[in-house]
Amino acid sequence: MRRDVFQAIADPTRRAILTLIALQAMTPNAIAEHFDSSRQAISKHIKILTECQLLRQEQTGREIYYHFNPRKIKEVDTWVEQFRTMWESRFDQLDELLKKQNLKNKES
Amino acid sequence: MRRDVFQAIADPTRRAILTLIALQAMTPNAIAEHFDSSRQAISKHIKILTECQLLRQEQTGREIYYHFNPRKIKEVDTWVEQFRTMWESRFDQLDELLKKQNLKNKES
DNA sequence: TATACATGCAACCAATCGGTTTCTCAAATT
DNA sequence: AATTTGAGAAACCGATTGGTTGCATGTATA
């Protein structure tokens, strides 16, 4: 049972659930109302998100409120981090770098 | 054929390929040497990464060099962005905020 | 206490995934 | 010209996925 964050956010429905829960903790029934799938299908998604700790439960009576855990989504950000400098260096910045190197070549 | 970036990076082998290619463009054979799977299995991963534009091809003779496309991985960053403020507001920062509010309450 | 409600779990199903082996094709090498 | 090499495509296979329906259980409510 591979249950890592990347596999969890691969599904668009699960990403939508996260966006929903991030705004406000909700019960499975309340979450399911936002989707066309059955309550059980949504419950399965919630289970997967909970198993990889993207959500945590808070039981009150017979209702279970699911809360979003920001720290876990940070793992994705950490992985993406290694590429950030690459898209931040735009073409014009690259051009500037090349110009400088040409200058340097001229000088030497 | 669902071919979005999130589904592409769900697989750990594909994430490793991206990390590899980000450093240097490589041919399928060169990539496959870094893994235990067969060349064809790696080729399938490359195909998926290419189809969602995380990689782009550059053919030279019979060899094909695969380049990393940073702009596409930015899509993941954009999605994660909506949660960033949530994990950046740590408990101590929240405590400070509460202290300030207490102060404000005292003053008023 | 009987009934309705909220939730989770199990069984089932078609589709997809990640891997393999085999084959084809074009380009390089001999 | 014959052979080797790099790469993609096809066929196949077991495991997993995402969905369904039906059932079990604990909690509120009439």
Side-chain angles (χ1 to χ4, degrees):
Chain A
M1 191 167 24
R2 180 158 54 95
R3 211 96 303 172
D4 61 288
V5 182
F6 291 94
Q7 185 261 344
I9 66 168
D11 184 84
T13 304
R14 285 198 287 271
R15 287 202 300 281
I17 291 176
L18 287 178
T19 303
L20 208 58
I21 296 297
L23 297 173
Q24 186 180 21
M26 294 175 80
T27 66
N29 264 333
I31 298 168
E33 279 173 11
H34 291 78
F35 300 92
D36 291 334
S37 311
S38 68
R39 179 191 60 81
Q40 285 89 337
I42 299 300
S43 209
K44 272 181 150 187
H45 285 306
I46 293 174
K47 191 186 177 192
I48 291 172
L49 291 170
T50 307
E51 278 174 355
C52 72
Q53 301 180 317
L54 278 165
L55 298 183
R56 49 168 241 275
Q57 302 174 313
E58 179 209 3
Q59 186 135 12
T60 67
R62 67 178 167 184
E63 291 182 328
I64 301 179
Y65 281 85
Y66 283 90
H67 295 256
F68 177 63
N69 178 17
R71 280 174 48 201
K72 205 64 186 179
I73 204 79
K74 194 175 187 304
E75 286 185 14
V76 179
D77 188 66
T78 302
W79 182 77
V80 172
E81 176 66 32
Q82 68 182 314
F83 306 114
R84 187 158 295 133
T85 54
M86 296 190 71
W87 74 67
E88 279 178 352
S89 66
R90 288 163 299 166
F91 274 104
D92 49 346
Q93 291 182 359
L94 183 62
D95 283 346
E96 266 195 300
L97 186 70
L98 290 175
K99 276 183 194 170
K100 282 181 188 173
Q101 285 194 326
N102 284 344
L103 237 76
K104 197 181 173 185
N105 287 342
K106 278 185 184 177
E107 283 167 3
S108 61
Chain B
M1 195 171 14
R2 179 158 54 94
R3 216 82 319 165
D4 61 288
V5 182
F6 291 94
Q7 186 260 342
I9 65 168
D11 184 84
T13 303
R14 285 198 288 270
R15 286 202 300 280
I17 292 176
L18 287 178
T19 302
L20 208 59
I21 296 298
L23 297 174
Q24 186 180 20
M26 296 174 80
T27 66
N29 264 334
I31 298 168
E33 280 173 12
H34 290 79
F35 299 92
D36 291 333
S37 311
S38 68
R39 179 190 61 81
Q40 286 87 341
I42 299 299
S43 209
K44 273 180 151 190
H45 284 306
I46 293 175
K47 191 186 178 192
I48 290 172
L49 290 169
T50 307
E51 279 175 356
C52 71
Q53 300 180 318
L54 277 165
L55 299 182
R56 49 168 243 274
Q57 303 175 313
E58 179 209 4
Q59 186 134 13
T60 66
R62 67 178 166 183
E63 291 184 327
I64 301 178
Y65 282 85
Y66 283 89
H67 295 255
F68 177 63
N69 178 17
R71 279 174 48 201
K72 205 63 186 180
I73 204 80
K74 195 175 187 303
E75 287 185 12
V76 179
D77 188 65
T78 302
W79 183 77
V80 172
E81 176 66 32
Q82 67 181 316
F83 306 114
R84 188 159 294 133
T85 53
M86 296 191 71
W87 75 67
E88 278 177 353
S89 67
R90 287 166 297 165
F91 274 104
D92 51 346
Q93 290 182 0
L94 183 62
D95 284 344
E96 267 194 301
L97 187 70
L98 291 175
K99 277 183 195 171
K100 281 181 188 172
Q101 286 193 326
N102 284 343
L103 237 74
K104 199 181 172 187
N105 287 343
K106 277 184 185 176
E107 282 166 5
S108 60

